[in-house]
Amino acid sequence: MSTATVAIVGAGVAGAAAAIRLAERGIGVELYEAVAAPQPIGAGLLLQPTGQQVLARMGLLPEALELGVRVDRLYGDTPAGRAVLDMSYRRFHPDAYGLGLQRGALMGLLWRRLRALGVPWHCGAAVEGFVQDSGGVTLQISGQGTVRHAALILANGSFSRLRAGMKVRQRARHFPWGAVWTVLPAPVGFPQVELRQRFRSASQMLGLMPVGKAAADDAQRGINLFWSLPLAELDGWAARLGLERLKQQMAALFPDVAPLLAGLQHATQLREARYADVRLSRWHEGRVLAIGDCAHGMSPQLGQGANMALIDAHELAAGLGGDWPDVFARYSARRRAHLRFYSQVSRGLTPMFQSHAVVAPWLRDRFFGWGGRLPYIHQQSVATLAGVKTGWLWGRLRLADA
Ligand SMILES: Cc1cc2nc3c(=O)[nH]c(=O)nc-3n(C[C@H](O)[C@H](O)[C@H](O)COP(=O)(O)OP(=O)(O)OC[C@H]3O[C@@H](n4cnc5c(N)ncnc54)[C@H](O)[C@@H]3O)c2cc1C
């Protein structure tokens, strides 16, 4: 620990990527992670062209491509066969695709790079609080006393309690719905080129996404299965509903899932996901900066969270120069339009896919499929999915050169 170095709290996608990008530029970084022995686990991710670009700048894209699966299309429909979403990346750019990846595979790549760079990494070090002054930031580590650094980057996820220590207007609200998810072995012949969703109104949603291998020497490819549930039903679902009834509900909504469900034998295979809508009036205060879900948690409906975390890391490291408060203020200004747009879209779209609402999904079913056939609407929808929009009508994200 040193007063010249920057502390990063959280070794998820945002914290690990920021540590890499800063260390690559010769900045002293120390990483603090609450979990004693972090494991490369987590839901399947769709890495958008923006996130892929950041991985490419880090030199990690070739390995990510080896592990993951190119997803060309997102297709969602109702049990009656009405197309609700039909988005092809090629309509955005002939070479564009989403990369279906296991979060564990991505974390494995990032953590290996961290180790290769020799970034000090303190596991089992839960940061409980911080105090900043004009010369630095003092962190309180649970059971380990205090450490002092030149600046602090909070990358400890949507449910960060440290965020409240930043004197900026903020609000973090649980989404009323969450999900259970798992990665199952892909049966022989199971389609692996598109993200497939099936909706019944907004109260049932099943998502299937090819996510490739967990590690380079893994022979088995996986399919990420996502099943939406209201929070009241998510808590204790295994005891109340039971795995067999849940599987029956999935198969009733989307019979094609049956061969995949053969690999789902125990309730413990399904992990629970809860998410929050996090809003901050700005992402910095003096020597403290929030990035990743801690700064702008959103629902996974748009498949942007990990992309945003990678872009945050890239843009932060690309804007170095001067003292940390200036670096952080520049970062906030540079990220504003992009983050604002995706937070708004996420907030607006989520109730159309995860809620007990009746009118919103009815309108969705009638107009999304129809609107998507109009070239301009389709272009805008795919650009939104690709993660490049910075405004409702125009504005495209340009990653900083670095
Ligand atoms: C079901 C699901 C599907 C998703 N699908 C996609 C997708 O398709 N595409 C996409 O881009 N994104 C997706 N996301 C979102 C994506 O997973 C997140 O946005 C991303 O992982 C956030 O990374 P993060 O580093 O900001 O936070 P996290 O991954 O939450 O990491 C925070 C880290 O901080 C640590 N920590 C917490 N508190 C402390 C403390 N006090 N001290 C020290 N350490 C601490 C935690 O242990 C953790 O390691 C999905 C999310 C879910 C739940």
Side-chain angles (χ1 to χ4, degrees):
M1 68 202 78
S2 143
T3 51
T5 60
V6 179
I8 299 182
V9 181
V13 179
I20 293 169
R21 293 310 265 164
L22 291 174
E24 284 171 345
R25 277 159 190 74
I27 303 293
V29 188
E30 291 193 38
L31 200 51
Y32 295 88
E33 168 55 52
V35 174
Q39 299 297 317
I41 52 171
L45 299 171
L46 187 61
L47 215 56
Q48 306 297 351
T50 42
Q52 294 166 29
Q53 246 183 298
V54 176
L55 281 189
R57 306 267 182 109
M58 294 165 113
L60 295 175
L61 187 59
E63 281 176 89
L65 288 169
E66 282 283 304
L67 294 165
V69 174
R70 290 179 191 224
V71 174
D72 293 328
R73 180 183 181 222
L74 190 159
Y75 184 76
D77 62 2
T78 66
R82 184 191 286 270
V84 176
L85 296 174
D86 186 358
M87 291 193 256
S88 163
Y89 282 96
R90 284 202 198 95
R91 296 287 289 275
F92 168 64
H93 188 281
D95 299 328
Y97 53 86
L99 181 62
L101 199 59
Q102 303 197 25
R103 180 179 177 275
L106 177 61
M107 292 320 304
L109 293 180
L110 295 174
W111 290 348
R112 264 199 302 285
R113 174 59 59 82
L114 269 179
R115 292 195 184 100
L117 286 164
V119 173
W121 183 359
H122 310 276
C123 294
V127 177
E128 287 182 330
F130 66 87
V131 179
Q132 65 166 315
D133 54 53
S134 59
V137 186
T138 304
L139 278 63
Q140 178 73 45
I141 317 277
S142 177
Q144 299 177 33
T146 59
V147 291
R148 189 153 167 87
H149 289 275
L152 168 63
I153 297 170
L154 297 177
N156 63 329
S158 294
F159 301 101
S160 169
R161 283 199 225 129
L162 297 169
R163 187 174 49 218
M166 291 174 73
K167 293 186 188 69
V168 298
R169 259 186 301 119
Q170 53 182 279
R171 184 176 139 180
R173 197 172 49 94
H174 267 90
F175 276 102
W177 286 59
V180 286
W181 65 270
T182 187
V183 176
L184 294 169
V188 177
F190 204 83
Q192 294 198 46
V193 289
E194 63 182 26
L195 194 169
R196 186 74 171 84
Q197 294 180 324
R198 169 63 59 85
F199 318 102
R200 192 189 311 277
S201 191
S203 61
Q204 282 194 330
M205 173 169 65
L206 178 91
L208 299 176
M209 180 169 70
V211 288
K213 305 185 281 188
D217 55 1
D218 199 345
Q220 182 64 59
R221 292 185 164 265
I223 304 280
N224 190 80
L225 176 142
F226 176 100
W227 178 256
S228 162
L229 280 174
L231 287 188
E233 289 177 31
L234 184 58
D235 297 326
W237 71 269
R240 208 176 33 253
L241 181 65
L243 182 62
E244 284 315 310
R245 273 183 55 209
L246 186 72
K247 285 168 67 171
Q248 282 163 14
Q249 289 183 4
M250 292 176 180
L253 181 66
F254 189 38
D256 294 14
V257 79
L260 190 65
L261 292 181
L264 180 55
Q265 296 294 336
H266 305 285
T268 50
Q269 284 173 266
L270 286 170
R271 290 166 182 271
E272 297 173 10
R274 295 169 178 78
Y275 18 93
D277 175 29
V278 178
R279 299 186 210 190
L280 270 67
S281 58
R282 55 190 161 86
W283 298 284
H284 70 286
E285 192 230 344
R287 294 178 173 273
V288 181
L289 176 73
I291 62 170
D293 278 7
C294 174
H296 42 72
M298 51 187 83
S299 93
Q301 193 57 45
L302 272 175
Q304 299 293 331
N307 292 276
M308 295 290 177
L310 289 168
I311 297 166
D312 290 354
H314 175 81
E315 293 295 320
L316 170 63
L320 295 175
D323 202 359
W324 287 106
D326 304 323
V327 173
F328 291 169
R330 275 200 302 275
Y331 164 90
S332 261
R334 202 169 154 75
R335 291 295 288 128
R336 180 165 300 276
H338 188 236
L339 289 174
R340 283 281 136 85
F341 174 74
Y342 280 94
S343 298
Q344 287 169 4
V345 177
S346 163
R347 229 167 274 140
L349 278 186
T350 301
M352 293 193 188
F353 292 91
Q354 289 195 291
S355 72
H356 289 300
V358 176
V359 178
W362 186 87
L363 290 170
R364 172 201 73 189
D365 292 353
R366 260 109 215 115
F367 296 112
F368 273 34
W370 170 80
R373 284 193 287 276
L374 303 175
Y376 176 77
I377 303 283
H378 192 126
Q379 243 286 328
Q380 293 299 315
S381 309
V382 185
T384 302
L385 178 68
V388 299
K389 278 175 68 72
T390 55
W392 287 92
L393 291 177
W394 51 75
R396 284 289 160 98
L397 179 77
R398 304 242 175 281
L399 286 186
D401 295 329

